[in-house]
Amino acid sequence: MTTIQNIAILGATGSIGASTLDVIARHPSRFRVAALTAHRQVDELAALCRRHRPDYVCVADAAHAPRLRERLAGAGVGCRVLAGEAGLVEVASLPQVDCVMAAIVGAAGLRATLAAARAGKKLLLANKEALVIAGPVFMETVRASGAMLLPIDSEHNAIFQCLPPFASGELAAKGIRKILLTGSGGPFRSRARADLHRVTPDEACAHPNWVMGRKISVDSATMMNKGLEIIEARWLFGASPEQIQVVVHPQSVVHSMVEYADGSVIAQLGHPDMRTPIAQALAYPERIEAGVSSLDLFRIGALSFEQPDFERFPALNLAYAALRSGGAAPATLNAANEVAVAAFLEGRLPFLRITAVIEETLAGLPPSPLVTLEDVLAADARARARANQIIARFNSHAA
Ligand code: NAD
Ligand code: MG
């Protein structure tokens, strides 16, 4: 008999949060929801508490805590209410929590995700931005605490499944030539750059294969999502930039591949449904039902692969360049991207300017060393300020 795992979900009201709760609800004898968090979606969070009865709940925007308390009291739900970033960190470190799903979007998830790593939890990492910006600090924290880090990003989860068990350290020593990181190419894969000037947020968020939160959907449209994933793979698997090759695969059936020295290429296939990687990580090393149907290869018929177009999608080159620069450059890239994507989603920046803002932010900030968490936070703040200035200047010219 397996002992029950107590799970905390950071970012429970999001797309990954919903998929995680779906898998958990299929296995009440294996998993129990111990804690849930959200930014400020009080009604959704209260509804989740009614359904899953966690011990703790946290609303990151503390101003919303009184309303959450009221809602829960009204519904007769007795969980402890925490608030603010300190509450997120507390949830991630609770002694009774065995496993933390880190599914907050963006750098906002860094402290809580890192707290779970520091507390030595089984850490299911969806919040890729935390690893991208804090790579060496994050990995050292995991090493020192002995936390078990399992990737949720579908590509990295696929790579993890294709690697020899317990792989860490240099790829070459394990007979691996390279990682083939697949990506659908996003909603604009076959659109000319000139056609993208007037793209709206809803068009950018209409991903052909995946249903996701709006920030990662825009990242998929610019292909910065793949750029962030290159950096994520560097840290998760100890791969050099040269060992990570992006392969455009429009069907999103092959979720990534690993090529070995003997010429073998091992791939993981499945429906584009995040419940598969979530279930793989939740039950690891066992396998459980995730509510995902069999892959019908006869219906799919053919799989195709293309070279990425680095000219139409400059985000890929920006990510490779930031990775090669090292230090705080990936944190700068990520912060500029978050600011530019938010401006695009709010109608303050045209789609094609997103990567231009990132490029200009990187060019204006010389790479600084990144050794401590404070270095990460300082680089993030500097890049946000710079990116905001660039957007304001652009808008004053456009006005
Ligand atoms: P989402 O926007 O649907 O949900 C984000 C969650 O984070 C929500 O619960 C929200 O309340 C919370 N949140 C937002 N801002 C916050 C803040 N400032 N402080 C605290 N909490 C905050 O996002 P998502 O699509 O579920 O993505 C979550 C993470 O998983 C991202 O890092 C994304 O890159 C990654 N990811 C998502 C998918 C996917 O299919 N959705 C796939 C791979 C990786
Ligand atoms: Mg992915």
Side-chain angles (χ1 to χ4, degrees):
M1 220 197 98
T2 37
T3 50
I4 202 153
Q5 270 187 70
N6 281 299
I7 321 275
I9 305 177
L10 310 174
T13 53
S15 159
I16 293 288
S19 296
T20 306
L21 287 166
D22 181 287
V23 176
I24 289 176
R26 291 169 192 276
H27 302 278
S29 62
R30 275 181 181 265
F31 309 119
R32 205 187 135 256
V33 176
L36 297 172
T37 85
H39 188 203
R40 49 168 79 111
Q41 297 82 349
V42 164
D43 292 336
E44 286 100 313
L45 193 53
L48 292 179
C49 290
R50 270 200 303 278
R51 172 129 183 255
H52 299 281
R53 304 277 160 170
D55 308 320
Y56 287 81
V57 60
C58 177
V59 59
D61 184 340
H64 294 260
R67 206 154 56 85
L68 179 61
R69 284 201 180 89
E70 239 171 67
R71 290 277 195 293
L72 292 174
V77 179
C79 51
R80 261 199 73 191
V81 178
L82 304 173
E85 196 165 52
L88 296 177
V89 167
E90 187 177 339
V91 159
S93 332
L94 286 168
Q96 64 267 46
V97 164
D98 306 299
C99 169
V100 175
M101 166 56 85
I104 293 174
V105 59
L110 176 63
R111 278 184 195 273
T113 302
L114 215 47
R118 197 172 303 115
K121 303 296 185 195
K122 174 172 169 180
L123 175 54
L124 277 45
L125 183 72
N127 179 208
K128 68 188 90 184
E129 297 91 345
L131 183 55
V132 165
I133 66 178
V137 178
F138 194 114
M139 294 312 286
E140 175 51 26
T141 306
V142 168
R143 195 202 58 74
S145 71
M148 182 194 271
L149 181 59
L150 294 166
I152 293 300
D153 216 345
S154 57
E155 297 77 3
H156 304 73
N157 184 271
I159 294 160
F160 177 77
Q161 295 192 50
C162 298
L163 287 174
F166 310 111
S168 66
E170 290 291 301
L171 286 186
K174 289 187 286 283
I176 293 165
R177 264 191 205 145
K178 62 183 173 188
I179 285 171
L180 299 158
L181 184 69
T182 57
S184 67
F188 306 140
R189 178 178 60 89
S190 44
R191 294 263 288 265
R193 212 170 143 75
D195 285 352
L196 298 179
H197 283 288
R198 281 176 219 294
V199 158
T200 66
D202 284 345
E203 285 173 294
C205 289
H207 196 280
N209 305 334
W210 297 94
V211 181
M212 308 181 285
R214 282 171 84 76
K215 189 264 178 183
I216 184 177
S217 296
V218 176
D219 286 349
S220 299
T222 60
M223 287 198 77
M224 183 52 88
N225 183 48
K226 215 46 57 186
L228 297 175
E229 290 182 358
I230 292 166
I231 303 172
E232 185 184 13
R234 185 264 169 269
W235 293 112
L236 283 172
F237 308 118
S240 67
E242 296 70 34
Q243 288 172 316
I244 307 168
Q245 184 177 4
V246 174
V247 177
V248 173
H249 166 49
Q251 297 84 15
S252 298
V253 169
V254 173
H255 296 305
S256 277
M257 298 170 264
V258 174
E259 182 183 319
Y260 284 84
D262 60 10
S264 297
V265 177
I266 302 189
Q268 186 260 358
L269 283 70
H271 283 295
D273 186 324
M274 289 308 291
R275 291 177 301 177
T276 296
I278 291 168
Q280 190 276 340
L282 276 172
Y284 181 78
E286 293 173 29
R287 295 281 182 169
I288 56 171
E289 275 288 339
V292 178
S293 60
S294 293
L295 195 61
D296 186 345
L297 289 170
F298 304 117
R299 238 186 97 208
I300 294 164
L303 300 175
S304 60
F305 303 94
E306 301 165 8
Q307 290 269 10
D309 184 336
F310 289 90
E311 298 207 337
R312 279 189 305 130
F313 297 101
L316 290 173
N317 277 332
L318 292 174
Y320 272 118
L323 184 52
R324 291 199 171 97
S325 301
T332 303
L333 171 98
N334 177 72
N337 182 55
E338 286 190 26
V339 168
V341 169
F344 167 68
L345 284 172
E346 289 161 18
R348 292 186 286 114
L349 192 72
F351 180 76
L352 287 179
R353 299 286 313 176
I354 296 173
T355 44
V357 168
I358 301 164
E359 186 170 11
E360 201 178 328
T361 306
L362 277 165
L365 293 171
S368 52
L370 187 139
V371 182
T372 63
L373 176 60
E374 287 64 40
D375 296 336
V376 180
L377 299 173
D380 178 83
R382 259 197 313 274
R384 279 172 203 272
R386 186 86 189 93
N388 274 313
Q389 279 168 3
I390 294 166
I391 292 169
R393 199 199 55 223
F394 170 76
N395 282 330
S396 70
H397 288 176

